[in-house]
Amino acid sequence: DADVTQTPRNRITKTGKRIMLECSQTKGHDRMYWYRQDPGLGLRLIYYSFDVKDINKGEISDGYSVSRQAQAKFSLSLESAIPNQTALYFCATSDLMSSNTGELFFGEGSRLTVL
Amino acid sequence: AQSVTQPDIHITVSEGASLELRCNYSYGATPYLFWYVQSPGQGLQLLLKYFSGDTLVQGIKGFEAEFKRSQSSFNLRKPSVHWSDAAEYFCAVGPNDMRFGAGTRLTVKP
C-alpha cells in the first residue's frame, strides 16, 4: 500500500458541485500539503498544515477549504467547483523534525475535471 | 514569501551531452532546496536535496546540484544525459510552505 493515498484518483464533475478530495498517510508525518499542478505553472501550494490545530493558506487558497481531521488525514474541498479548478491535485507530507530535511512525499495525484 | 524561478521552460539536449537546469530562489533565511522529477503521467520523485553542509550535493540517477548562496541559485547538472532522463524537472524551496518553480521540460534527442 502507498504511504500517501489520495481518493478519488479521477473525478469528473459539473460546475457548482461540491467536491472533496481526501488524503491519508501512514508515514506518521506531522506536515501535510495540498498542491495543484497545471501545465506550465508547476505545482502551486493551496493549503498546508503542520498539525491538527494548524492550518495555513498557500499561494492560491481562494475557492478551496481544507480539514485536518486527524494527524493522518487532510481533506481538500471545493465548495462550488468551477472549470478553472480543473487540474491535477497532489497531497504531500513531510516531517522536518525527525528527518531534518523537510522533503515532501507525494501521493499519486487526483485528476479533477470540472465541466 | 519564498519563490522559485526556473528560467528555461523547455530544453532539448542530445543523448550523451551534458545538462544544466537552472533554478533561482528567493528566501529570507537559509533555504532547504530540492529537485524533483516527474516522468509523463507519473508522480514526483526526489532527485536530491540540500539543507546544510557541502554545497555540491549528489543525487540519484547521476544528477548533482550546487548551492550558490551569492547567486541564490541551485542548478541541476548531469554530465551525460540518457534518453530515459526525458521528463519535467521541478526545483523547490522550503522547508515550511514549500514552493515550486514552474518546471523545465527536458527533451532528449537520439
Side-chain angles (χ1 to χ4, degrees), chain A residues 10-115:
Chain A
N10 289 282
R11 181 73 184 268
I12 300 173
T13 190
K14 295 182 178 180
T15 298
K17 294 291 188 181
R18 183 178 188 273
I19 294 296
M20 179 180 286
L21 305 179
E22 297 183 325
C23 178
S24 62
Q25 52 119 343
T26 59
K27 300 189 74 68
H29 288 172
D30 290 333
R31 299 181 171 203
M32 298 189 73
Y33 302 77
W34 276 105
Y35 290 89
R36 65 175 280 177
Q37 184 178 19
D38 301 276
L41 297 178
L43 281 79
R44 291 180 292 167
L45 182 61
I46 305 173
Y47 273 95
Y48 61 104
S49 169
F50 288 171
D51 65 39
V52 174
K53 297 181 180 180
D54 177 77
I55 302 289
N56 303 281
K57 293 183 177 180
E59 304 168 80
I60 53 163
S61 58
D62 288 349
Y64 301 94
S65 62
V66 291
S67 173
R68 185 83 184 264
Q69 301 95 322
Q71 186 201 35
K73 295 184 182 297
F74 193 38
S75 299
L76 177 71
S77 294
L78 289 68
E79 295 300 326
S80 180
I82 56 176
N84 77 1
Q85 292 177 313
T86 293
L88 180 60
Y89 291 84
F90 283 102
C91 175
T93 73
S94 74
D95 186 0
L96 182 64
M97 296 309 294
S98 66
S99 71
N100 202 33
T101 67
E103 69 180 89
L104 295 177
F105 295 83
F106 285 90
E108 294 182 329
S110 296
R111 185 166 296 281
L112 176 65
T113 302
V114 183
L115 302 176

Side-chain angles (χ1 to χ4, degrees), chain B residues 23-64:
Chain B
C23 172
N24 294 99
Y25 68 89
S26 172
Y27 193 72
T30 300
Y32 287 36
L33 294 159
F34 307 83
W35 275 99
Y36 288 85
V37 61
Q38 185 180 36
S39 298
Q42 301 297 312
L44 288 99
Q45 180 182 24
L46 180 70
L47 284 176
L48 47 76
K49 58 195 175 190
Y50 169 82
F51 58 98
S52 68
D54 192 345
T55 57
L56 183 64
V57 293
Q58 303 296 320
I60 62 171
K61 305 184 180 185
F63 285 92
E64 66 177 27

